[in-house]
Amino acid sequence: MTREEKSQVIDTLTAQLSDSANIYLADISGLNAGHTTNLRRACFKAGVQLAVVKNTLLKKAMESSDKDFGELTEILKGNTSLMFSETGNAPAKVIKEFRKKSDKPLLKGAYIQESIYVGDDQLDSLVELKSKDELVGEIIGLLQSPAKNVISALKSGGSTIAGIVKTLSEKEG
């Protein structure tokens, strides 16, 4: 690879890192061609982009990016694959599901909405992360719940009050 080609790869990686809010670093070494193809298909179905990268080029791209990747630059050893996704937990779910059949991929680290996770032991935490849409849906549900309770109480209370008034007027007459 020439110096110019490396420079282009670094520029492309820097742009991808800048454009992505959710970035996973994984180790897929040891997967045979069939398993790698299955992993790529699983990623595609989940809306996750998978790319194998050279550590030195990724490190330079991370350093030239406007984001602070902190400890993630220190874990760039051995085989590294990048996983990009719009949803913070999608790559973690793909990794967890894939590991039901294989011991790889291993999670090296993740950059999720400016938070950094390092190590394979973080996988379960990352799977449990909720997407922005899920959180917004929960908040809307919580906000609507008290309003629905008040409206239903007024509706049922209104008929009860009317019933009481009617009963009282019948007793007086």
Side-chain angles (χ1 to χ4, degrees), residues 90-135:
K93 287 180 178 179
V94 169
I95 291 171
K96 187 164 184 151
E97 184 64 30
F98 200 80
R99 290 214 334 224
K100 289 179 180 177
K101 302 171 196 154
S102 175
D103 61 339
K104 297 275 180 142
L106 293 175
L107 176 68
K108 291 174 125 182
Y111 178 90
I112 312 293
Q113 305 284 334
E114 299 181 6
S115 297
I116 296 172
Y117 301 84
V118 177
D120 195 56
D121 58 327
Q122 299 291 319
L123 185 62
D124 289 331
S125 301
L126 291 168
V127 168
E128 297 300 319
L129 282 179
K130 295 189 187 274
S131 70
K132 181 179 177 182
D133 292 338
E134 290 170 328
L135 288 174

Side-chain angles (χ1 to χ4, degrees), residues 156-170:
S156 65
S159 63
T160 307
I161 292 172
I164 293 171
V165 170
K166 184 178 178 185
T167 306
L168 288 174
S169 64
E170 288 175 357

Side-chain angles (χ1 to χ4, degrees), residues 48-97:
V48 176
Q49 181 185 355
L50 176 69
V52 178
V53 294
K54 288 183 140 305
N55 289 327
T56 53
L57 300 181
L58 178 57
K59 185 173 184 173
K60 288 180 181 182
M62 286 177 155
E63 290 168 353
S64 63
S65 171
D66 56 347
K67 295 179 180 175
D68 179 19
F69 290 102
E71 300 172 67
L72 292 181
T73 56
E74 297 167 19
I75 61 170
L76 297 177
K77 294 173 180 72
N79 186 305
T80 303
S81 296
L82 278 175
M83 300 173 91
F84 299 101
S85 174
E86 292 294 319
T87 309
N89 63 359
K93 287 180 178 179
V94 169
I95 291 171
K96 187 164 184 151
E97 184 64 30

